[in-house]
Amino acid sequence: MSQFVKELISKMTFTEKIGQMTQLSGDFFASDNSAITGPLQQANLATTDLYQVGSILGVSGVDEVKKIQENYLQHSRLKIPLLFMADVVHGYRTIFPIPLALAASFDPQLVSQTSEIFSREAAAGGVHVTFAPMVDLVRDPRWGRVMEANGEDPFLNSELAKASVEGIQGQQKIPDADHVAACVKHFAGYGAVEAGREYNTVDISEWRLRDQYLSGYQAAIEAGVPLVMTAFNTFQGKPATGNYHLMRDILRRELGFKGPLISDWDAIGEMIAHGTASDLQDAAQQALKAGVDIDMMSMAYLKLARRVHPSSELVDLVNQAVERILNFKESLGLFTDPNRGLHSENEKQIFSTHNLEIAQQAAVESTVLLKNKNNLLPLSKDCRLGLVGKFADNPDLLGSWSWQGKMAETQTIKSALQENFTKVSYIQNQQLQAVDLQLLKQQDVIVACLGLSAQQSGEATSMTHPQIPDQQLALLRKLQQLNKPIITVLITGRPLVLNPIIKNSDGLLLLWFPGSRGAAALAQILLGEKEPGGRLPMTFPKDLGQIPLYYNNFRTGRPLVGDKSDLENKYLSKYIDQENQPAFCFGYGLGYAKTALSESKLDKKTYQSIDSIKVSVKIENHSDISAKQVIQVYCHQIVGETVRPQWELKAFQKVKLQPKEIRKVEIDLPLNRLAYVHSDLKRRLDPGNYCLRVGFDSQSGLRQSFKII
Ligand code: NOJ
């Protein structure tokens, strides 16, 4: 603790300390300086409470931020600047593809670059902290928040968690005034909500939490994330926000997190609804003991401030929390410049041409080509396109959590295709009358833009049927009768059950929510100016009843391997009415160029646990066009102390190849990545026999064996 912070704390009253530990939304801070705003009255707060509050969420914009900060500093006794926090998740004003789409890029450098851009834009808009990245491991597409996540694989999740934090903070441990600080969320395990239902119970074993769910948060902490947010869910029967074991033992002691811990919105107060706290005072005490420093919006900590004689334990806990908060404020330079980052020079880069170019590149790298029958794609510029579907002329391409992004400045697919193709016939009518069908019949190819709207993914959008609505399927069926090649472009924030779509489409492009420049990226992809660069970060199931379905499930005692004798055997881990296979597996995605792997080799047969394996493989581009591929390395442990997944991703590398290029690629695989959590809850690496597979997805590849001694 600096001398400055020490002296400041010594001057603070107990109430002022609690104020620093409270966060309110922007509605409380009326910009016209009026004494009592509606929300204050509703929450039974006085203006004096307001001028002691430590942070504010959901406000940005140079003028607004300056006004609130100046007014606050005029009124507050000790003049401790307010911290401004907000959800800048995949873009501030320039919107990048949603995080799940960016995960499909399998490109940590790109994720770092897009994060840095939105961080700069947000800092210029007066934000100090973004509530990102969200690194909850996700396996259930019924949960709407999968769109904010990095998918189902712990290794990919960790690599991207690290890249996001480094990007947001501008590769600095303490972000300078041109960047915001990151806040990783939601600690811990929120992605495992039962039945994919939002805010529901999480009941996974501590073994599983440690083996698969913790690594994303850990990677963010190791990358220097200065803040952590708690989760809404329970862990082992206790709400995470009041869970001493989770926060003190695991987060602080084991993972070594030293910064401020903030609750999710009203998560302290919600302990009453959970039935684990009797009232706000009780909830506040539990959260404080568990180590939560900032109460977002439940006003529970303010209740503690009203205590006439706080216990010495309470005083100690409050002092520790305040120290963490003020240290953080000091590290950001807020005491020297409460208007940090708010320079007109910085503002100019918001929504700049450069930022939009990167958004377009990111959309190209995130788009996944799922089907390309008879190499229908790419198309020629003068091919006659018939364009239909809900998303054909619709700026709803930004996705949830795109706060400052504006649909009004988002180009639609129709406009981008009209700019790039000579003949585009757009049919607005979704019912397709005879005259529409007549017009479509005269086209060479039909492009159907289908999907779910931004309102159908993100927080509070759990869904029992993650699939394309019937009305849109009916449209596709009508199109099918025209006997024309159909390319379906999918807009979605989550994996969908795509059965009728796969059958009725010749080309299938998964655009996700591609952001500000998604439509232009699609035009480039359709024309073959760019190869779609995405590979699935989540499995796409064949059937609703298979959910949750993910590639890295644990081995069972009666596995279905898939050969003939298996299919006849009733007593295996399978369904009687559906296959175990997904529609599209993790890691899957096609390119336009034809590529192949051969000659995979390991540098040795036997390794020590501290070694790295050098995996080498030859990749060949057989085509006359340049190629993009994601080389994926999966490992399999023959015998473990606990069960292990059949295959687990342990390394990947995205490569770009010239036409006809042949290249030898070397991938480093440090063996400590193969360590896993044993039944004593400790992570370690086992000696023994292993297999490794190098391929282009999670289901196939070239196999090698090796041994760790
Ligand atoms: C609730 C969400 O769960 C969290 O992710 C978000 O950061 C906060 N609201 C603040 O908006």
Side-chain angles (χ1 to χ4, degrees):
M1 181 172 29
S2 71
Q3 194 53 31
F4 172 77
V5 169
K6 210 172 184 172
E7 278 171 22
L8 189 55
I9 295 181
S10 72
K11 289 184 210 146
M12 291 171 83
T13 64
F14 186 66
T15 314
E16 281 167 337
K17 290 177 187 170
I18 296 278
Q20 285 302 310
M21 296 164 64
T22 297
Q23 176 165 109
L24 296 180
S25 67
D27 330 344
F28 286 82
F29 295 77
S31 48
D32 62 359
N33 299 352
S34 60
I36 304 249
T37 61
L40 277 180
Q41 253 163 350
Q42 270 163 33
N44 198 14
L45 297 180
T47 28
T48 43
D49 291 322
L50 194 66
Y51 295 123
Q52 285 167 5
V53 155
S55 56
I56 170 168
L57 87 146
V59 173
S60 78
V62 178
D63 296 341
E64 187 70 359
V65 167
K66 272 193 178 158
K67 211 182 309 172
I68 293 178
Q69 188 74 283
E70 274 159 24
N71 180 39
Y72 176 90
L73 290 174
Q74 260 173 32
H75 290 83
S76 92
R77 186 179 77 95
L78 291 169
K79 316 232 169 293
I80 303 172
L82 274 171
L83 256 180
F84 287 79
M85 309 199 190
D87 290 282
V88 185
V89 173
H90 56 111
Y92 178 72
R93 173 96 170 269
T94 307
I95 304 296
F96 298 96
I98 54 169
L100 188 63
L102 279 171
S105 76
F106 276 77
D107 189 343
Q109 248 177 316
L110 179 70
V111 168
S112 190
Q113 191 180 17
T114 56
S115 305
E116 184 176 5
I117 292 175
F118 73 62
S119 171
R120 281 181 180 274
E121 286 197 6
V127 177
H128 303 141
V129 175
T130 174
F131 297 129
M134 178 185 113
V135 301
D136 302 322
L137 194 75
V138 291
R139 281 144 177 209
D140 193 328
R142 290 173 297 184
W143 195 46
R145 301 198 76 168
V146 301
M147 55 96 28
E148 292 171 62
N150 294 319
E152 70 192 34
D153 182 75
F155 178 65
L156 180 64
N157 187 29
S158 307
E159 291 292 286
L160 299 183
K162 175 171 180 275
S164 307
V165 171
E166 287 173 353
I168 291 171
Q169 306 222 138
Q171 315 292 330
Q172 306 159 96
K173 284 280 171 232
I174 296 160
D176 62 17
D178 297 336
H179 295 85
V180 302
C183 171
V184 73
K185 66 191 186 186
H186 307 85
F187 200 80
Y190 188 21
V193 280
E194 271 180 14
R197 205 180 74 215
E198 185 66 304
Y199 315 126
N200 202 6
T201 303
V202 166
D203 193 5
I204 50 176
S205 64
E206 183 159 339
W207 168 70
R208 194 165 206 188
L209 177 91
R210 287 171 178 276
D211 192 51
Q212 303 179 339
Y213 287 79
L214 277 188
S215 58
Y217 314 105
Q218 184 172 359
I221 291 165
E222 283 167 7
V225 77
L227 278 95
V228 173
M229 186 190 290
T230 70
F232 284 129
N233 56 269
T234 52
F235 173 66
Q236 294 183 328
K238 271 222 149 247
T241 309
N243 195 315
Y244 186 98
H245 179 51
L246 198 55
M247 300 305 172
R248 294 267 182 203
D249 295 340
I250 301 182
L251 176 69
R252 294 231 187 257
R253 201 162 318 130
E254 287 182 35
L255 302 183
F257 175 66
K258 302 214 160 45
L261 174 61
I262 181 168
S263 78
D264 201 343
W265 181 291
D266 194 25
I268 301 181
E270 285 174 13
M271 280 195 256
I272 302 169
H274 273 291
T276 55
S278 51
D279 54 23
L280 270 186
Q281 287 238 12
D282 183 16
Q285 296 222 45
Q286 291 189 36
L288 194 58
K289 281 189 187 154
V292 178
D293 301 320
I294 303 177
D295 167 10
M296 184 199 292
M297 285 302 291
S298 82
M299 331 292 163
Y301 283 175
L302 290 177
K303 294 267 173 209
L304 297 178
R306 304 204 170 126
R307 292 228 167 149
V308 188
H309 298 296
S311 67
S312 61
E313 188 199 5
L314 189 64
V315 171
D316 273 356
L317 289 171
V318 165
N319 280 338
Q320 288 162 23
V322 168
E323 186 183 322
R324 282 192 282 265
I325 295 165
L326 296 181
N327 276 342
F328 176 62
K329 286 190 173 181
E330 190 191 33
S331 75
L332 289 186
L334 273 177
F335 290 107
T336 333
D337 180 9
N339 289 327
R340 99 192 260 288
L342 292 177
H343 312 298
S344 49
E345 260 322 289
N346 284 357
E347 245 193 308
K348 285 190 200 136
Q349 50 163 320
I350 296 181
F351 209 61
S352 67
T353 314
H354 170 260
N355 294 359
L356 288 165
E357 274 165 14
I358 305 297
Q360 186 165 332
Q361 207 176 304
V364 167
E365 294 306 323
S366 309
T367 298
V368 189
L369 177 62
L370 294 172
K371 184 177 178 187
N372 194 13
K373 191 173 163 195
N374 302 330
N375 294 328
L376 172 62
L377 285 162
L379 305 171
S380 69
K381 198 176 170 59
D382 55 3
C383 126
R384 287 169 303 176
L385 288 188
L387 182 64
V388 289
K390 183 173 173 189
F391 290 90
D393 190 24
N394 190 338
D396 188 5
L397 301 174
L398 301 180
S400 174
W401 299 112
S402 44
W403 189 35
Q404 299 291 334
K406 297 189 178 18
M407 287 229 232
E409 51 194 24
T410 307
Q411 189 180 28
T412 70
I413 292 177
K414 175 183 153 215
S415 148
L417 298 196
Q418 281 173 339
E419 269 176 22
N420 287 279
F421 285 84
T422 335
K423 297 164 211 143
V424 178
S425 304
Y426 168 61
I427 309 286
Q428 192 178 6
N429 187 351
Q430 310 274 314
Q431 316 303 326
L432 296 185
Q433 306 299 333
V435 27
D436 303 322
L437 293 169
Q438 199 52 41
L439 180 62
L440 286 170
K441 218 174 174 145
Q442 291 155 24
Q443 313 308 315
D444 299 319
V445 176
I446 295 170
V447 177
C449 304
L450 311 180
L452 300 180
S453 71
Q455 304 298 327
Q456 291 169 301
S457 65
E459 189 179 348
T461 61
S462 292
M463 204 176 198
T464 55
H465 288 74
Q467 56 194 26
I468 300 287
D470 287 347
Q471 218 188 2
Q472 297 189 48
L473 292 181
L475 175 120
L476 195 61
R477 271 196 301 274
K478 276 196 187 170
L479 293 175
Q480 246 268 319
Q481 288 161 15
L482 297 173
N483 266 327
K484 291 277 168 190
I486 299 174
I487 296 165
T488 301
V489 174
L490 284 171
I491 308 299
T492 175
R494 58 172 103 218
L496 299 170
V497 177
L498 288 174
N499 278 339
I501 306 255
I502 303 171
K503 202 171 88 223
N504 292 327
S505 312
D506 302 279
L508 191 52
L509 268 171
L510 172 61
L511 202 59
W512 309 99
F513 281 96
S516 302
R517 278 293 188 90
L522 173 67
Q524 288 185 304
I525 289 172
L526 290 175
L527 280 170
E529 286 171 11
K530 303 274 178 188
E531 281 241 335
R535 302 294 182 263
L536 293 179
M538 267 185 100
T539 302
F540 271 50
K542 207 173 242 176
D543 193 301
L544 284 172
Q546 295 176 314
I547 294 172
L549 183 67
Y550 44 95
Y551 88 97
N552 41 2
N553 60 308
F554 292 118
R555 282 181 249 169
T556 69
R558 296 188 177 192
L560 172 75
V561 179
D563 61 30
K564 237 193 167 150
S565 57
D566 257 8
L567 296 172
E568 280 154 20
N569 185 352
K570 180 171 178 190
Y571 297 97
L572 294 181
S573 180
K574 63 177 186 179
Y575 302 99
I576 56 170
D577 59 346
Q578 184 54 278
E579 298 173 12
N580 286 2
Q581 284 295 312
F584 299 109
C585 68
F586 175 86
Y588 177 82
L590 303 168
Y592 293 151
K594 295 283 163 269
T595 50
L597 291 175
S598 60
E599 298 175 23
S600 93
K601 287 193 196 91
L602 311 187
D603 57 338
K604 293 194 237 168
K605 279 274 158 215
T606 304
Y607 296 88
Q608 311 270 342
S609 57
I610 44 154
D611 290 346
S612 281
I613 304 184
K614 287 220 179 326
V615 185
S616 68
V617 69
K618 193 163 101 181
I619 180 163
E620 215 161 322
N621 178 5
H622 295 301
S623 307
D624 293 328
I625 53 171
S626 52
K628 235 177 241 173
Q629 257 305 358
V630 178
I631 303 178
Q632 302 166 36
V633 182
Y634 294 85
C635 286
H636 165 86
Q637 180 167 355
I638 312 283
V639 180
E641 188 258 341
T642 66
V643 287
R644 305 304 311 141
Q646 189 73 18
W647 293 102
E648 289 178 290
L649 183 73
K650 291 297 171 190
F652 59 86
Q653 194 169 311
K654 195 165 193 175
V655 289
K656 297 195 174 154
L657 301 167
Q658 295 302 316
K660 298 279 182 202
E661 185 180 340
I662 302 174
R663 194 191 303 168
K664 189 174 153 200
V665 175
E666 265 198 6
I667 301 176
D668 218 36
L669 197 173
L671 280 172
N672 60 13
R673 286 189 197 155
L674 270 55
Y676 67 97
V677 175
H678 289 58
S679 41
D680 61 0
L681 302 185
K682 301 268 173 348
R683 183 177 284 275
R684 58 182 171 270
L685 179 68
D686 289 340
N689 294 317
Y690 292 79
C691 286
L692 175 152
R693 201 169 67 191
V694 194
F696 293 146
D697 63 36
S698 58
Q699 284 191 338
S700 55
L702 307 169
R703 276 176 88 124
Q704 301 287 330
S705 339
F706 66 95
K707 197 176 175 130
I708 301 178
I709 49 170

